[in-house]
Amino acid sequence: MSALPQVQVGFLQANQSVETITHLSVLIRHVTRAVRDYSDESLILSTIAELSLEGFALSGFQIAVYNLDQSLVSAAYTAIWDELSESGLRVHRLDYPSGISPRFLLHPRQFCDGLAASEAVTQLQLPIADAMGTLGEVIASRPAGEIFSGQDLSWLEQVADHCAIALRRNRMAQLAQTQAIELKRLNQLQDNFLSTVSYELRIPLANIRMAIQMISLALKRDETNFAIPSEEAFILSSQLFDKVTRYLAVLQKECDRETKLIQDLLDLQQLDTDTLSLIMSVIQIDQWLPYIVNPFQKRFQEYQLTCTVDIEPDLPSLMCDQVNLSRILVELLNNAYRYTPPGEHITVAVRKVSSITNPDEILFHLQVTNSGVELPPEEIPRIFDKFYRIPKLDLRKQGGTGLGLALVQKLVTRLGGQVLVESKQGSTSFTVELPFQGVRH
């Protein structure tokens, strides 16, 4: 803290000279710098109290801070002259001082205080307040008979305003920290709940799936339309057989859907806790990519969609976890299938590119592009959030959980890369970038 120009006691009573105004301007700059540079509330208010006592040549200076509900004075910073102190003054902080209650000042007031004439002082009290409410008060003291002028009040009000800025900033920071801790706790509770539910549902769903398969194997069609009971099979008429088969197909589809949801939740939890293990292997891209894409071709044709695969020639082998990389591509293809209008085109392109940040680093570049759909700009920042969907773009009306893209992003991050999305001019592209070497473990 820089030393302020020395002034004589009593200058506040007289008309302020140019030198005095300059001196007070320096004082306010010191106070402003303390509020700006320090983050600790106690240090800021102690510094302001010390600067004010010395700069205004007061006999005492106090900053009283109210608690959040304005029912108590939570702290008092009292600056006094002390011959034993190295700097000649001392700032004393007292938490929850007894006998002091908020005065709820609306306007500054000046009065003489003290029981005996020898102890009497002139005090000027000012509220520390902003648009959101009163935060405390400032009390400046001078010997009895030395009153505070209007100019004195103006300068001290600036000090009180800086105290208000420091106090409000500190309380907003505390509130933000408290909310962040609470949000983290709620997210943890949510993750624990989802994990518990997921584990508990796996066994019942496995039993349901087994029961569906056993019923399907036991069903027999009676071509003569005369059903004969059997201990080894359920022999049904053709009409009833077709109806039961449709019912079982619906059950199987929904069972598979719920099983995938549970597996996605468990995988996301493993990724969040960084416990998902990687099994690295060498992948031949020209063999791996068609193996993943070809099973989708029939689904694409059912909705008049075309799909092409574009593999850069002489592409080197990729060292990666093949299971997780395949899952990333499957999720992206499912997403393209769900949101691409009939008659449009899907492109899966693979190439090697140089890193923008490091030209010597070669990246594996996997891009899935579908035409005929464009994401609203306001939706893009949330596209990778868990459980977030854009139902109005779901042309197949197949629903979904909103976990697919969240899983893609976390898997790509686990593999040491990044996933990017770009949507413009009537098309949407998801790009996965992975290093050819040095996958993170």
Side-chain angles (χ1 to χ4, degrees), residues 11-14 16 20 24 56 110 124 126 142 146-158:
F11 79 91
L12 295 174
Q13 294 175 304
Q16 295 180 340
T20 301
L24 294 178
F56 288 104
Q110 183 173 186
L124 177 63
L126 303 92
R142 303 192 59 253
E146 298 181 6
I147 64 173
F148 293 92
S149 67
Q151 289 292 333
D152 306 333
L153 174 62
S154 177
W155 289 106
L156 286 168
E157 283 180 333
Q158 294 185 53

Side-chain angles (χ1 to χ4, degrees), residues 118-129:
S118 59
E119 299 175 354
V121 295
T122 301
Q123 289 189 340
L124 177 63
Q125 296 180 347
L126 303 92
I128 300 175

Side-chain angles (χ1 to χ4, degrees), residues 138-405:
V138 165
I139 306 171
S141 302
R142 303 192 59 253
E146 298 181 6
I147 64 173
F148 293 92
S149 67
Q151 289 292 333
D152 306 333
L153 174 62
S154 177
W155 289 106
L156 286 168
E157 283 180 333
Q158 294 185 53
V159 174
D161 289 341
H162 281 81
C163 291
I165 293 172
L167 288 171
R168 184 62 68 188
R169 184 183 65 187
N170 179 266
R171 292 188 179 182
M172 295 298 290
Q174 289 179 345
L175 178 61
Q177 184 179 13
T178 301
Q179 291 175 340
I181 294 174
E182 180 64 15
L183 181 60
K184 183 178 180 180
R185 186 185 71 85
L186 292 176
N187 286 335
Q188 185 63 47
L189 288 175
Q190 172 185 283
D191 291 342
N192 292 342
F193 171 76
L194 293 175
S195 176
T196 302
V197 171
S198 299
Y199 275 111
E200 291 298 326
L201 289 177
R202 291 184 73 178
I203 295 178
L205 280 174
N207 292 336
I208 293 173
R209 172 180 288 184
M210 182 179 297
I212 294 173
Q213 293 175 349
M214 295 299 294
I215 293 174
S216 299
L217 293 174
L219 285 178
K220 300 295 182 182
R221 183 192 296 270
D222 179 21
E223 302 295 345
T224 63
N225 292 326
F226 292 99
I228 301 175
S230 172
E231 295 181 357
E232 297 180 356
F234 301 109
I235 303 177
L236 305 175
S237 64
S238 296
Q239 183 178 5
L240 187 57
F241 179 88
D242 292 339
K243 184 179 294 186
V244 172
T245 301
R246 289 197 303 270
Y247 295 159
L248 288 175
V250 173
L251 287 174
Q252 183 67 54
K253 180 180 178 180
E254 294 303 318
C255 184
D256 292 342
R257 180 181 175 184
E258 295 305 313
T259 300
K260 182 180 183 302
L261 168 61
I262 291 173
Q263 188 59 51
D264 288 347
L265 289 172
L266 294 175
D267 289 343
L268 282 170
Q269 187 202 28
Q270 285 186 306
L271 289 166
D272 286 337
T273 57
D274 201 21
T275 58
L276 183 68
S277 60
L278 300 179
I279 302 176
M280 311 306 295
S281 62
V282 178
I283 303 175
Q284 302 294 335
I285 303 300
D286 56 346
Q287 299 176 13
W288 166 78
L289 193 60
Y291 176 80
I292 301 298
V293 176
N294 287 341
F296 282 86
Q297 295 288 5
K298 184 178 180 179
R299 295 171 57 187
F300 292 155
Q301 292 172 3
E302 290 177 354
Y303 287 94
Q304 297 81 50
L305 303 177
T306 57
C307 178
T308 59
V309 176
D310 180 13
I311 303 177
E312 180 181 346
D314 302 323
L315 197 67
S317 300
L318 175 67
M319 177 66 71
C320 191
D321 185 307
Q322 184 170 334
V323 173
N324 287 316
L325 183 61
S326 299
R327 191 167 186 184
I328 289 170
L329 181 55
V330 167
E331 293 292 348
L332 291 178
L333 290 172
N334 278 326
N335 189 72
Y337 166 74
R338 181 178 292 117
Y339 295 109
T340 303
E344 297 295 339
H345 188 70
I346 299 172
T347 303
V348 182
V350 179
R351 59 181 57 89
K352 63 178 185 293
V353 298
S354 297
S355 172
I356 297 177
T357 57
N358 182 11
D360 295 332
E361 182 183 7
I362 304 301
L363 300 176
F364 171 74
H365 200 273
L366 170 64
Q367 187 175 70
V368 178
T369 303
N370 55 323
S371 63
V373 62
E374 187 171 336
L375 300 177
E378 64 274 10
E379 303 285 358
I380 293 179
R382 299 189 59 190
I383 198 70
F384 295 107
D385 291 351
K386 296 179 186 177
F387 305 106
Y388 188 75
R389 297 175 56 248
I390 311 177
K392 63 182 179 181
L393 297 181
D394 188 357
L395 302 176
R396 313 285 180 261
K397 304 301 179 183
Q398 294 183 343
T401 60
L403 292 177
L405 291 178

Side-chain angles (χ1 to χ4, degrees), residues 21 107 110 425:
I21 293 176
H107 305 285
Q110 183 173 186
Q425 298 179 351

